[in-house]
Amino acid sequence: RHSMGIKMSDMVDIFLDNESDEGDACVKVGCSGSCMGATSTVIGAALLESIIVRVAQLLDEAGCELPFFMSANGAGNQDEHNRALMDRYRARVRSF
């Protein structure tokens, strides 16, 4: 909490409101009325993935290369594709 009451939404160019309930909990449990069941994690993940996909679409439409990893759950040559990316970026990403 900022000492002057400034909120993150006041400081950014783009603000995505995930519309989570106050306290980020959606299910009342027990007689006390305490809530649990955070919603921001799954909604935030969905927002982030939709942004990533849209940026990839825009880059593709602009004719840019899309160096992204393919899911290991798919059929095809994803291991070869991912290995080539790891080799390409190994000098920049130490964990490769």
Short mmCIF file of all heavy atoms in Angstrom, two decimals, residues 5-79:
data_model
loop_
_atom_site.label_atom_id
_atom_site.label_comp_id
_atom_site.label_asym_id
_atom_site.label_seq_id
_atom_site.Cartn_x
_atom_site.Cartn_y
_atom_site.Cartn_z
N GLY A 5 -1.64 6.72 -1.20
CA GLY A 5 -2.87 6.13 -1.74
C GLY A 5 -2.84 5.86 -3.22
O GLY A 5 -3.87 5.55 -3.82
N ILE A 6 -1.66 5.95 -3.84
CA ILE A 6 -1.54 5.67 -5.27
C ILE A 6 -1.71 4.18 -5.51
O ILE A 6 -1.16 3.36 -4.79
CB ILE A 6 -0.18 6.15 -5.80
CG1 ILE A 6 -0.05 7.66 -5.62
CG2 ILE A 6 0.00 5.76 -7.26
CD1 ILE A 6 1.34 8.19 -5.94
N LYS A 7 -2.49 3.86 -6.52
CA LYS A 7 -2.70 2.45 -6.89
C LYS A 7 -1.95 2.14 -8.18
O LYS A 7 -1.66 3.03 -8.97
CB LYS A 7 -4.19 2.18 -7.06
CG LYS A 7 -4.96 2.37 -5.77
CD LYS A 7 -6.40 1.97 -5.95
CE LYS A 7 -7.08 2.17 -4.60
NZ LYS A 7 -8.41 1.61 -4.58
N MET A 8 -1.65 0.88 -8.37
CA MET A 8 -0.93 0.46 -9.56
C MET A 8 -1.65 0.92 -10.82
O MET A 8 -1.03 1.35 -11.79
CB MET A 8 -0.74 -1.05 -9.59
CG MET A 8 0.15 -1.50 -10.72
SD MET A 8 0.36 -3.28 -10.87
CE MET A 8 1.05 -3.69 -9.30
N SER A 9 -2.96 0.85 -10.81
CA SER A 9 -3.73 1.24 -11.99
C SER A 9 -3.54 2.72 -12.34
O SER A 9 -3.80 3.12 -13.47
CB SER A 9 -5.21 0.93 -11.79
OG SER A 9 -5.71 1.61 -10.66
N ASP A 10 -3.10 3.53 -11.36
CA ASP A 10 -2.83 4.94 -11.61
C ASP A 10 -1.46 5.17 -12.26
O ASP A 10 -1.18 6.26 -12.75
CB ASP A 10 -2.87 5.73 -10.30
CG ASP A 10 -4.21 5.64 -9.60
OD1 ASP A 10 -5.25 5.56 -10.30
OD2 ASP A 10 -4.22 5.65 -8.35
N MET A 11 -0.60 4.18 -12.25
CA MET A 11 0.79 4.34 -12.66
C MET A 11 1.15 3.65 -13.98
O MET A 11 2.26 3.79 -14.45
CB MET A 11 1.72 3.79 -11.57
CG MET A 11 1.52 4.41 -10.21
SD MET A 11 1.83 6.18 -10.18
CE MET A 11 3.56 6.22 -10.53
N VAL A 12 0.24 2.92 -14.57
CA VAL A 12 0.57 2.12 -15.74
C VAL A 12 -0.16 2.62 -16.99
O VAL A 12 -1.17 3.31 -16.89
CB VAL A 12 0.24 0.62 -15.50
CG1 VAL A 12 1.06 0.07 -14.36
CG2 VAL A 12 -1.24 0.43 -15.24
N ASP A 13 0.36 2.24 -18.15
CA ASP A 13 -0.29 2.61 -19.40
C ASP A 13 -1.48 1.71 -19.70
O ASP A 13 -2.48 2.15 -20.25
CB ASP A 13 0.71 2.51 -20.56
CG ASP A 13 1.81 3.55 -20.45
OD1 ASP A 13 1.52 4.66 -19.97
OD2 ASP A 13 2.95 3.25 -20.83
N ILE A 14 -1.34 0.44 -19.37
CA ILE A 14 -2.41 -0.53 -19.60
C ILE A 14 -2.69 -1.25 -18.29
O ILE A 14 -1.78 -1.74 -17.63
CB ILE A 14 -2.03 -1.56 -20.69
CG1 ILE A 14 -1.77 -0.85 -22.02
CG2 ILE A 14 -3.11 -2.62 -20.84
CD1 ILE A 14 -1.22 -1.75 -23.09
N PHE A 15 -3.95 -1.35 -17.93
CA PHE A 15 -4.35 -2.00 -16.69
C PHE A 15 -5.38 -3.06 -17.02
O PHE A 15 -6.41 -2.77 -17.64
CB PHE A 15 -4.93 -0.96 -15.72
CG PHE A 15 -5.45 -1.55 -14.45
CD1 PHE A 15 -4.59 -1.99 -13.47
CD2 PHE A 15 -6.82 -1.65 -14.24
CE1 PHE A 15 -5.06 -2.53 -12.29
CE2 PHE A 15 -7.31 -2.19 -13.06
CZ PHE A 15 -6.42 -2.62 -12.09
N LEU A 16 -5.11 -4.28 -16.64
CA LEU A 16 -6.06 -5.38 -16.86
C LEU A 16 -6.66 -5.75 -15.51
O LEU A 16 -5.96 -6.23 -14.62
CB LEU A 16 -5.36 -6.59 -17.46
CG LEU A 16 -4.70 -6.37 -18.81
CD1 LEU A 16 -3.95 -7.61 -19.24
CD2 LEU A 16 -5.71 -5.95 -19.85
N ASP A 17 -7.93 -5.50 -15.34
CA ASP A 17 -8.62 -5.82 -14.09
C ASP A 17 -9.15 -7.24 -14.19
O ASP A 17 -9.95 -7.55 -15.06
CB ASP A 17 -9.77 -4.83 -13.87
CG ASP A 17 -10.42 -4.98 -12.51
OD1 ASP A 17 -10.12 -5.95 -11.78
OD2 ASP A 17 -11.25 -4.12 -12.18
N ASN A 18 -8.71 -8.10 -13.28
CA ASN A 18 -9.16 -9.49 -13.34
C ASN A 18 -10.51 -9.69 -12.66
O ASN A 18 -11.02 -10.81 -12.61
CB ASN A 18 -8.11 -10.45 -12.79
CG ASN A 18 -7.85 -10.26 -11.31
OD1 ASN A 18 -8.63 -9.65 -10.59
ND2 ASN A 18 -6.74 -10.78 -10.84
N GLU A 19 -11.08 -8.61 -12.14
CA GLU A 19 -12.42 -8.64 -11.55
C GLU A 19 -12.54 -9.63 -10.38
O GLU A 19 -13.62 -10.13 -10.09
CB GLU A 19 -13.49 -8.95 -12.60
CG GLU A 19 -13.59 -7.92 -13.70
CD GLU A 19 -14.21 -6.60 -13.26
OE1 GLU A 19 -15.02 -6.60 -12.31
OE2 GLU A 19 -13.86 -5.57 -13.85
N SER A 20 -11.44 -9.90 -9.70
CA SER A 20 -11.49 -10.78 -8.54
C SER A 20 -12.30 -10.15 -7.42
O SER A 20 -12.35 -8.92 -7.29
CB SER A 20 -10.08 -11.07 -8.01
OG SER A 20 -9.38 -11.87 -8.91
N ASP A 21 -12.92 -10.99 -6.63
CA ASP A 21 -13.64 -10.50 -5.45
C ASP A 21 -12.67 -9.82 -4.49
O ASP A 21 -11.48 -10.14 -4.47
CB ASP A 21 -14.34 -11.65 -4.73
CG ASP A 21 -15.49 -12.25 -5.53
OD1 ASP A 21 -15.99 -11.57 -6.44
OD2 ASP A 21 -15.88 -13.39 -5.23
N GLU A 22 -13.18 -8.93 -3.67
CA GLU A 22 -12.35 -8.28 -2.66
C GLU A 22 -11.73 -9.36 -1.78
O GLU A 22 -12.40 -10.29 -1.34
CB GLU A 22 -13.19 -7.34 -1.80
CG GLU A 22 -12.37 -6.56 -0.81
CD GLU A 22 -13.18 -5.55 -0.03
OE1 GLU A 22 -14.30 -5.20 -0.47
OE2 GLU A 22 -12.68 -5.10 1.00
N GLY A 23 -10.44 -9.23 -1.57
CA GLY A 23 -9.72 -10.23 -0.78
C GLY A 23 -9.29 -11.43 -1.60
O GLY A 23 -8.65 -12.34 -1.08
N ASP A 24 -9.64 -11.45 -2.87
CA ASP A 24 -9.26 -12.53 -3.78
C ASP A 24 -9.70 -13.90 -3.28
O ASP A 24 -8.97 -14.87 -3.33
CB ASP A 24 -7.75 -12.51 -4.02
CG ASP A 24 -7.35 -13.45 -5.16
OD1 ASP A 24 -8.21 -13.73 -6.02
OD2 ASP A 24 -6.21 -13.91 -5.17
N ALA A 25 -10.90 -13.98 -2.77
CA ALA A 25 -11.46 -15.26 -2.33
C ALA A 25 -12.92 -15.29 -2.77
O ALA A 25 -13.61 -14.28 -2.74
CB ALA A 25 -11.34 -15.40 -0.83
N CYS A 26 -13.40 -16.47 -3.17
CA CYS A 26 -14.72 -16.51 -3.79
C CYS A 26 -15.72 -17.44 -3.10
O CYS A 26 -16.88 -17.45 -3.46
CB CYS A 26 -14.60 -16.87 -5.26
SG CYS A 26 -13.89 -18.50 -5.56
N VAL A 27 -15.28 -18.22 -2.11
CA VAL A 27 -16.19 -19.19 -1.49
C VAL A 27 -16.19 -19.00 0.02
O VAL A 27 -15.14 -19.06 0.67
CB VAL A 27 -15.76 -20.64 -1.82
CG1 VAL A 27 -16.69 -21.64 -1.14
CG2 VAL A 27 -15.74 -20.86 -3.32
N LYS A 28 -17.37 -18.73 0.57
CA LYS A 28 -17.49 -18.63 2.03
C LYS A 28 -17.50 -20.03 2.62
O LYS A 28 -18.19 -20.92 2.14
CB LYS A 28 -18.76 -17.89 2.43
CG LYS A 28 -18.70 -16.43 2.13
CD LYS A 28 -19.93 -15.69 2.61
CE LYS A 28 -19.78 -14.23 2.23
NZ LYS A 28 -20.93 -13.43 2.62
N VAL A 29 -16.71 -20.20 3.68
CA VAL A 29 -16.57 -21.50 4.31
C VAL A 29 -16.85 -21.35 5.81
O VAL A 29 -16.28 -20.49 6.47
CB VAL A 29 -15.15 -22.08 4.10
CG1 VAL A 29 -15.00 -23.41 4.81
CG2 VAL A 29 -14.86 -22.23 2.61
N GLY A 30 -17.72 -22.20 6.31
CA GLY A 30 -17.98 -22.21 7.74
C GLY A 30 -18.88 -21.09 8.20
O GLY A 30 -19.30 -20.22 7.44
N CYS A 31 -19.17 -21.12 9.49
CA CYS A 31 -20.08 -20.16 10.11
C CYS A 31 -19.47 -18.76 10.19
O CYS A 31 -20.20 -17.77 10.24
CB CYS A 31 -20.46 -20.61 11.51
SG CYS A 31 -21.28 -22.22 11.53
N SER A 32 -18.16 -18.67 10.23
CA SER A 32 -17.51 -17.38 10.40
C SER A 32 -17.61 -16.50 9.15
O SER A 32 -17.37 -15.30 9.22
CB SER A 32 -16.03 -17.58 10.74
OG SER A 32 -15.34 -18.10 9.62
N GLY A 33 -17.95 -17.09 8.04
CA GLY A 33 -18.03 -16.33 6.80
C GLY A 33 -16.68 -16.11 6.15
O GLY A 33 -16.56 -15.33 5.21
N SER A 34 -15.65 -16.78 6.67
CA SER A 34 -14.33 -16.67 6.06
C SER A 34 -14.39 -17.18 4.63
O SER A 34 -15.12 -18.11 4.32
CB SER A 34 -13.30 -17.48 6.85
OG SER A 34 -13.16 -16.97 8.14
N CYS A 35 -13.58 -16.55 3.79
CA CYS A 35 -13.57 -16.93 2.38
C CYS A 35 -12.24 -17.54 1.98
O CYS A 35 -11.20 -17.22 2.55
CB CYS A 35 -13.85 -15.72 1.51
SG CYS A 35 -15.53 -15.11 1.62
N MET A 36 -12.31 -18.41 1.02
CA MET A 36 -11.12 -19.00 0.42
C MET A 36 -11.41 -19.28 -1.04
O MET A 36 -12.52 -19.06 -1.50
CB MET A 36 -10.71 -20.27 1.17
CG MET A 36 -11.76 -21.37 1.15
SD MET A 36 -11.35 -22.80 2.16
CE MET A 36 -9.78 -23.26 1.55
N GLY A 37 -10.43 -19.78 -1.75
CA GLY A 37 -10.63 -20.07 -3.17
C GLY A 37 -10.24 -18.89 -4.03
O GLY A 37 -11.07 -18.22 -4.62
N ALA A 38 -8.93 -18.62 -4.08
CA ALA A 38 -8.43 -17.48 -4.85
C ALA A 38 -8.80 -17.60 -6.33
O ALA A 38 -8.74 -18.68 -6.90
CB ALA A 38 -6.92 -17.39 -4.69
N THR A 39 -9.18 -16.49 -6.91
CA THR A 39 -9.53 -16.47 -8.32
C THR A 39 -8.46 -15.80 -9.18
O THR A 39 -8.40 -16.04 -10.38
CB THR A 39 -10.86 -15.72 -8.54
OG1 THR A 39 -10.73 -14.40 -8.01
CG2 THR A 39 -12.00 -16.44 -7.85
N SER A 40 -7.61 -14.98 -8.58
CA SER A 40 -6.68 -14.19 -9.37
C SER A 40 -5.63 -15.04 -10.09
O SER A 40 -5.18 -14.66 -11.17
CB SER A 40 -5.98 -13.15 -8.50
OG SER A 40 -5.17 -13.77 -7.52
N THR A 41 -5.25 -16.17 -9.53
CA THR A 41 -4.21 -16.98 -10.16
C THR A 41 -4.66 -17.51 -11.51
O THR A 41 -3.99 -17.33 -12.52
CB THR A 41 -3.80 -18.14 -9.23
OG1 THR A 41 -3.38 -17.61 -7.98
CG2 THR A 41 -2.68 -18.96 -9.84
N VAL A 42 -5.80 -18.15 -11.55
CA VAL A 42 -6.26 -18.75 -12.80
C VAL A 42 -6.68 -17.67 -13.80
O VAL A 42 -6.40 -17.78 -15.00
CB VAL A 42 -7.40 -19.77 -12.55
CG1 VAL A 42 -8.67 -19.10 -12.07
CG2 VAL A 42 -7.67 -20.60 -13.79
N ILE A 43 -7.30 -16.60 -13.32
CA ILE A 43 -7.70 -15.52 -14.23
C ILE A 43 -6.46 -14.80 -14.76
O ILE A 43 -6.38 -14.47 -15.94
CB ILE A 43 -8.66 -14.55 -13.52
CG1 ILE A 43 -9.97 -15.27 -13.19
CG2 ILE A 43 -8.93 -13.33 -14.39
CD1 ILE A 43 -10.89 -14.51 -12.28
N GLY A 44 -5.48 -14.57 -13.89
CA GLY A 44 -4.24 -13.93 -14.31
C GLY A 44 -3.51 -14.76 -15.35
O GLY A 44 -2.97 -14.23 -16.32
N ALA A 45 -3.49 -16.07 -15.16
CA ALA A 45 -2.83 -16.95 -16.12
C ALA A 45 -3.55 -16.89 -17.47
O ALA A 45 -2.89 -16.84 -18.52
CB ALA A 45 -2.80 -18.39 -15.60
N ALA A 46 -4.88 -16.87 -17.46
CA ALA A 46 -5.63 -16.80 -18.71
C ALA A 46 -5.39 -15.46 -19.41
O ALA A 46 -5.22 -15.43 -20.64
CB ALA A 46 -7.12 -16.99 -18.44
N LEU A 47 -5.35 -14.36 -18.66
CA LEU A 47 -5.05 -13.06 -19.24
C LEU A 47 -3.66 -13.04 -19.86
O LEU A 47 -3.47 -12.57 -20.98
CB LEU A 47 -5.17 -11.95 -18.19
CG LEU A 47 -6.57 -11.55 -17.77
CD1 LEU A 47 -6.52 -10.63 -16.55
CD2 LEU A 47 -7.31 -10.89 -18.92
N LEU A 48 -2.67 -13.55 -19.12
CA LEU A 48 -1.30 -13.56 -19.61
C LEU A 48 -1.18 -14.39 -20.89
O LEU A 48 -0.57 -13.95 -21.88
CB LEU A 48 -0.36 -14.11 -18.55
CG LEU A 48 1.11 -14.19 -18.93
CD1 LEU A 48 1.66 -12.83 -19.29
CD2 LEU A 48 1.91 -14.82 -17.81
N GLU A 49 -1.77 -15.56 -20.93
CA GLU A 49 -1.71 -16.41 -22.12
C GLU A 49 -2.39 -15.76 -23.31
O GLU A 49 -1.90 -15.85 -24.44
CB GLU A 49 -2.31 -17.79 -21.85
CG GLU A 49 -1.45 -18.66 -20.97
CD GLU A 49 -0.10 -18.97 -21.59
OE1 GLU A 49 -0.02 -19.22 -22.81
OE2 GLU A 49 0.89 -18.96 -20.84
N SER A 50 -3.50 -15.06 -23.08
CA SER A 50 -4.18 -14.40 -24.19
C SER A 50 -3.34 -13.26 -24.74
O SER A 50 -3.32 -13.02 -25.96
CB SER A 50 -5.58 -13.92 -23.79
OG SER A 50 -5.51 -12.93 -22.79
N ILE A 51 -2.59 -12.56 -23.88
CA ILE A 51 -1.70 -11.50 -24.34
C ILE A 51 -0.55 -12.10 -25.16
O ILE A 51 -0.21 -11.60 -26.24
CB ILE A 51 -1.14 -10.69 -23.15
CG1 ILE A 51 -2.27 -9.88 -22.51
CG2 ILE A 51 0.00 -9.78 -23.59
CD1 ILE A 51 -1.91 -9.29 -21.17
N ILE A 52 0.03 -13.18 -24.67
CA ILE A 52 1.13 -13.84 -25.37
C ILE A 52 0.69 -14.30 -26.76
O ILE A 52 1.39 -14.09 -27.75
CB ILE A 52 1.68 -15.02 -24.54
CG1 ILE A 52 2.40 -14.48 -23.31
CG2 ILE A 52 2.61 -15.90 -25.39
CD1 ILE A 52 2.74 -15.55 -22.28
N VAL A 53 -0.48 -14.91 -26.84
CA VAL A 53 -0.99 -15.40 -28.12
C VAL A 53 -1.24 -14.23 -29.08
O VAL A 53 -0.88 -14.29 -30.26
CB VAL A 53 -2.27 -16.23 -27.93
CG1 VAL A 53 -2.98 -16.48 -29.25
CG2 VAL A 53 -1.94 -17.54 -27.24
N ARG A 54 -1.82 -13.15 -28.58
CA ARG A 54 -2.11 -12.00 -29.45
C ARG A 54 -0.82 -11.36 -29.96
O ARG A 54 -0.73 -10.99 -31.14
CB ARG A 54 -2.98 -10.97 -28.73
CG ARG A 54 -3.39 -9.82 -29.61
CD ARG A 54 -4.23 -10.29 -30.79
NE ARG A 54 -4.55 -9.18 -31.67
CZ ARG A 54 -4.50 -9.22 -32.99
NH1 ARG A 54 -4.20 -10.36 -33.62
NH2 ARG A 54 -4.79 -8.18 -33.70
N VAL A 55 0.17 -11.22 -29.10
CA VAL A 55 1.46 -10.66 -29.52
C VAL A 55 2.08 -11.57 -30.59
O VAL A 55 2.60 -11.09 -31.59
CB VAL A 55 2.41 -10.46 -28.33
CG1 VAL A 55 3.83 -10.18 -28.79
CG2 VAL A 55 1.90 -9.34 -27.43
N ALA A 56 2.01 -12.88 -30.39
CA ALA A 56 2.54 -13.82 -31.39
C ALA A 56 1.81 -13.66 -32.72
O ALA A 56 2.44 -13.68 -33.78
CB ALA A 56 2.43 -15.25 -30.88
N GLN A 57 0.50 -13.49 -32.68
CA GLN A 57 -0.26 -13.28 -33.91
C GLN A 57 0.18 -12.01 -34.62
O GLN A 57 0.37 -12.00 -35.84
CB GLN A 57 -1.76 -13.21 -33.60
CG GLN A 57 -2.37 -14.51 -33.19
CD GLN A 57 -3.82 -14.34 -32.71
OE1 GLN A 57 -4.20 -13.29 -32.19
NE2 GLN A 57 -4.62 -15.38 -32.88
N LEU A 58 0.36 -10.93 -33.87
CA LEU A 58 0.77 -9.66 -34.46
C LEU A 58 2.17 -9.75 -35.05
O LEU A 58 2.44 -9.22 -36.14
CB LEU A 58 0.69 -8.54 -33.43
CG LEU A 58 -0.72 -8.18 -32.96
CD1 LEU A 58 -0.66 -7.22 -31.77
CD2 LEU A 58 -1.55 -7.59 -34.10
N LEU A 59 3.09 -10.42 -34.34
CA LEU A 59 4.44 -10.60 -34.85
C LEU A 59 4.43 -11.44 -36.13
O LEU A 59 5.14 -11.14 -37.09
CB LEU A 59 5.33 -11.24 -33.80
CG LEU A 59 5.71 -10.34 -32.62
CD1 LEU A 59 6.40 -11.17 -31.54
CD2 LEU A 59 6.58 -9.19 -33.08
N ASP A 60 3.62 -12.49 -36.13
CA ASP A 60 3.52 -13.35 -37.31
C ASP A 60 2.98 -12.56 -38.51
O ASP A 60 3.50 -12.67 -39.62
CB ASP A 60 2.64 -14.55 -36.99
CG ASP A 60 2.58 -15.54 -38.14
OD1 ASP A 60 3.65 -15.98 -38.60
OD2 ASP A 60 1.45 -15.86 -38.58
N GLU A 61 1.94 -11.77 -38.27
CA GLU A 61 1.35 -10.95 -39.34
C GLU A 61 2.37 -9.94 -39.88
O GLU A 61 2.32 -9.59 -41.06
CB GLU A 61 0.11 -10.22 -38.83
CG GLU A 61 -1.07 -11.14 -38.58
CD GLU A 61 -2.21 -10.45 -37.84
OE1 GLU A 61 -2.18 -9.21 -37.68
OE2 GLU A 61 -3.13 -11.16 -37.40
N ALA A 62 3.29 -9.50 -39.02
CA ALA A 62 4.32 -8.54 -39.43
C ALA A 62 5.52 -9.24 -40.07
O ALA A 62 6.47 -8.59 -40.48
CB ALA A 62 4.78 -7.73 -38.22
N GLY A 63 5.47 -10.57 -40.17
CA GLY A 63 6.54 -11.33 -40.79
C GLY A 63 7.74 -11.56 -39.91
O GLY A 63 8.82 -11.88 -40.40
N CYS A 64 7.57 -11.42 -38.60
CA CYS A 64 8.68 -11.63 -37.67
C CYS A 64 8.81 -13.12 -37.31
O CYS A 64 7.83 -13.86 -37.32
CB CYS A 64 8.44 -10.84 -36.38
SG CYS A 64 8.41 -9.07 -36.62
N GLU A 65 10.04 -13.48 -36.99
CA GLU A 65 10.30 -14.85 -36.54
C GLU A 65 9.71 -15.03 -35.15
O GLU A 65 9.74 -14.11 -34.32
CB GLU A 65 11.80 -15.09 -36.49
CG GLU A 65 12.16 -16.48 -36.02
CD GLU A 65 13.65 -16.64 -35.81
OE1 GLU A 65 14.38 -15.66 -35.90
OE2 GLU A 65 14.05 -17.78 -35.55
N LEU A 66 9.18 -16.21 -34.88
CA LEU A 66 8.58 -16.50 -33.57
C LEU A 66 9.36 -17.62 -32.89
O LEU A 66 9.03 -18.80 -33.03
CB LEU A 66 7.11 -16.91 -33.74
CG LEU A 66 6.20 -15.91 -34.43
CD1 LEU A 66 4.83 -16.51 -34.65
CD2 LEU A 66 6.12 -14.63 -33.63
N PRO A 67 10.41 -17.28 -32.13
CA PRO A 67 11.21 -18.33 -31.46
C PRO A 67 10.56 -18.77 -30.15
O PRO A 67 10.89 -18.28 -29.08
CB PRO A 67 12.55 -17.63 -31.23
CG PRO A 67 12.19 -16.20 -31.06
CD PRO A 67 10.99 -15.97 -31.94
N PHE A 68 9.59 -19.67 -30.24
CA PHE A 68 8.91 -20.14 -29.04
C PHE A 68 9.03 -21.64 -28.91
O PHE A 68 9.20 -22.35 -29.90
CB PHE A 68 7.42 -19.73 -29.06
CG PHE A 68 6.65 -20.32 -30.22
CD1 PHE A 68 6.01 -21.53 -30.09
CD2 PHE A 68 6.59 -19.65 -31.43
CE1 PHE A 68 5.31 -22.08 -31.16
CE2 PHE A 68 5.89 -20.18 -32.50
CZ PHE A 68 5.25 -21.40 -32.35
N PHE A 69 8.97 -22.12 -27.67
CA PHE A 69 9.02 -23.54 -27.42
C PHE A 69 7.69 -24.19 -27.72
O PHE A 69 6.63 -23.60 -27.47
CB PHE A 69 9.40 -23.83 -25.96
CG PHE A 69 10.83 -23.56 -25.65
CD1 PHE A 69 11.20 -22.41 -24.99
CD2 PHE A 69 11.82 -24.45 -26.04
CE1 PHE A 69 12.52 -22.14 -24.71
CE2 PHE A 69 13.15 -24.20 -25.77
CZ PHE A 69 13.50 -23.04 -25.10
N MET A 70 7.74 -25.38 -28.26
CA MET A 70 6.54 -26.16 -28.54
C MET A 70 6.28 -27.10 -27.38
O MET A 70 7.22 -27.61 -26.76
CB MET A 70 6.72 -26.95 -29.84
CG MET A 70 6.87 -26.06 -31.06
SD MET A 70 7.31 -26.99 -32.56
CE MET A 70 5.87 -27.99 -32.79
N SER A 71 5.04 -27.35 -27.09
CA SER A 71 4.67 -28.25 -26.00
C SER A 71 5.17 -29.67 -26.28
O SER A 71 5.05 -30.18 -27.39
CB SER A 71 3.14 -28.29 -25.84
OG SER A 71 2.77 -29.31 -24.94
N ALA A 72 5.72 -30.28 -25.25
CA ALA A 72 6.19 -31.66 -25.38
C ALA A 72 5.01 -32.64 -25.48
O ALA A 72 5.21 -33.81 -25.77
CB ALA A 72 7.06 -32.02 -24.18
N ASN A 73 3.80 -32.16 -25.27
CA ASN A 73 2.62 -33.02 -25.32
C ASN A 73 2.07 -33.20 -26.73
O ASN A 73 1.14 -33.97 -26.93
CB ASN A 73 1.51 -32.46 -24.42
CG ASN A 73 1.93 -32.43 -22.98
OD1 ASN A 73 2.60 -33.33 -22.51
ND2 ASN A 73 1.57 -31.37 -22.28
N GLY A 74 2.60 -32.47 -27.68
CA GLY A 74 2.08 -32.54 -29.04
C GLY A 74 2.72 -33.66 -29.85
O GLY A 74 3.68 -34.30 -29.43
N ALA A 75 2.17 -33.87 -31.01
CA ALA A 75 2.74 -34.86 -31.94
C ALA A 75 3.65 -34.12 -32.89
O ALA A 75 3.39 -32.99 -33.27
CB ALA A 75 1.62 -35.56 -32.70
N GLY A 76 4.73 -34.72 -33.26
CA GLY A 76 5.62 -34.09 -34.22
C GLY A 76 7.04 -33.99 -33.71
O GLY A 76 7.47 -34.74 -32.84
N ASN A 77 7.75 -33.01 -34.26
CA ASN A 77 9.18 -32.89 -33.97
C ASN A 77 9.47 -31.80 -32.93
O ASN A 77 10.45 -31.09 -33.04
CB ASN A 77 9.95 -32.62 -35.26
CG ASN A 77 9.63 -31.25 -35.84
OD1 ASN A 77 8.66 -30.61 -35.45
ND2 ASN A 77 10.45 -30.81 -36.77
N GLN A 78 8.63 -31.67 -31.91
CA GLN A 78 8.81 -30.61 -30.92
C GLN A 78 10.14 -30.73 -30.18
O GLN A 78 10.75 -29.72 -29.84
CB GLN A 78 7.64 -30.51 -29.94
CG GLN A 78 7.44 -31.71 -29.05
CD GLN A 78 6.52 -32.74 -29.67
OE1 GLN A 78 6.19 -32.65 -30.86
NE2 GLN A 78 6.09 -33.70 -28.90
N ASP A 79 10.62 -31.93 -29.92
CA ASP A 79 11.90 -32.09 -29.22
C ASP A 79 13.04 -31.51 -30.05
O ASP A 79 13.90 -30.79 -29.53
CB ASP A 79 12.18 -33.56 -28.90
CG ASP A 79 11.24 -34.12 -27.83
OD1 ASP A 79 10.64 -33.32 -27.09
OD2 ASP A 79 11.12 -35.35 -27.74
#
